[in-house]
Amino acid sequence: MRYLLLCFTLAESFSPRIPTRRPTYNLPASQHIQRCPPLFSGDGIASNYTWHEEAFEIEVTVKVPKDTRAKDIHFKATRDSIDLRLRKDDDDDDEEKILMDPTRPLRGRVVLDGTFWIIHDPEVVLPVDGASSNSSLSHAQVDPFREVTVTIEKDIRTPRDDFDVIEYDWKGVYKNDEEEVSYRKYDEPEELNVREYAASLG
């Protein structure tokens, strides 16, 4: 019995082992699928809001009257919409203005824990050397307002496999916003000329 056990142990130790590894796919260069397309930050201007987008979040800014306080703002975020309203409780009239419409779907999904809002005064641009100091101050007097900025954390899903393409950039706030957006500018990647780059290396 001991002799049979010893023979089995020796046979097991000297038996060839086939290494396990993940399968590789030798695709032509033209068929390579990019898993995570690069994101290039951008800005936009719509009829009643502006936005600035980065890799993992997008900031939406709207103007409100100068006397607006935090208690006048109603805010509620869902996974695919933002409800932002301005409420003014006066003795004569109850006004409510929709700043971000909750019935309009956003271009992407929202991370609720990372989405918030702040109210602040607009930044005053200081005059450059040689410019009149009254010019920047007069601009603040002509347009008295405050700003509400909503910071939206974008929900970026985990890729299912190496060939799953993830879209990081929204390139806007709402779907079907072509009619209301007057300006949309995103950084574009530089095209690399392989021949010129190889020639520069000598």
Side-chain angles (χ1 to χ4, degrees), residues 61-175:
T61 301
V62 296
K63 294 181 180 180
V64 294
K66 188 68 175 178
D67 60 346
T68 303
R69 298 294 180 260
K71 63 182 180 63
D72 302 324
I73 301 298
H74 168 77
F75 173 80
K76 182 180 180 181
T78 66
R79 294 283 288 166
D80 54 7
S81 68
I82 297 293
D83 184 3
L84 184 68
R85 304 175 187 232
L86 174 62
R87 291 177 174 175
K88 284 289 188 179
D89 296 331
D90 298 330
D91 295 335
D92 299 333
D93 187 17
D94 289 342
E95 299 179 0
E96 184 176 78
K97 180 180 180 180
I98 297 178
L99 304 176
M100 294 187 68
D101 192 348
T103 64
R104 299 186 60 185
L106 301 174
R107 284 177 172 252
R109 302 280 284 175
V110 175
V111 177
L112 299 181
D113 291 341
T115 300
F116 58 92
W117 67 276
I118 61 171
I119 185 171
H120 56 91
D121 294 321
E123 296 181 0
V124 177
V125 180
L126 297 178
V128 296
D129 294 339
S132 175
S133 60
N134 294 329
S135 60
S136 60
L137 296 179
S138 62
H139 176 73
Q141 295 173 359
V142 171
D143 291 327
F145 60 86
R146 302 190 78 189
E147 293 178 338
V148 176
T149 298
V150 178
T151 301
I152 303 173
E153 182 179 347
K154 298 183 289 186
D155 185 8
I156 301 175
R157 64 180 177 84
T158 304
R160 293 185 291 269
D161 51 45
D162 291 341
F163 299 96
D164 189 13
V165 178
I166 304 299
E167 293 292 342
Y168 284 81
D169 51 340
W170 286 13
K171 296 204 172 194
V173 180
Y174 297 108
K175 298 178 180 179

